[in-house]
Amino acid sequence: LAVDAAKGAEGWRTLADGPVSAAPTVAADRVYAGSTDVRLYALAATDGAPAWSFQAGAPVDAPPTVVDRDFVAAYSRYESDE
């Protein structure tokens, strides 16, 4: 859910295939969010349109970190079965 800061109204909403249990990260024109569905999502900040998603192999349950707009790191407290 994104809220228009000037109007206090809903800007856009999107759903993951599982709960998003940590705060999203905003960098440049993207919103990054991990989910318990074991995916890391990148969404367009303007309208929430999916840019890409990555199969992390374990639930992503901490806010992603963006480094130099070129690398996104995500953390899971769970071990992967892979």
Side-chain angles (χ1 to χ4, degrees):
L1 170 67
V3 176
D4 183 313
K7 299 176 183 174
E10 182 175 319
W12 54 263
R13 178 184 298 251
T14 192
L15 296 173
D17 289 335
V20 174
S21 58
T25 298
V26 178
D29 60 348
R30 295 279 188 256
V31 176
Y32 301 93
S35 174
T36 60
D37 68 359
V38 303
R39 299 198 75 77
L40 175 65
Y41 294 91
L43 309 169
T46 55
D47 61 6
W52 53 261
S53 69
F54 174 76
Q55 173 67 273
V60 180
D61 55 4
T65 301
V66 179
V67 179
D68 293 332
R69 297 180 60 190
D70 295 325
F71 182 75
V72 179
Y75 170 79
S76 175
R77 61 186 164 146
Y78 302 97
E79 291 186 31
S80 172
D81 291 334
E82 297 177 12

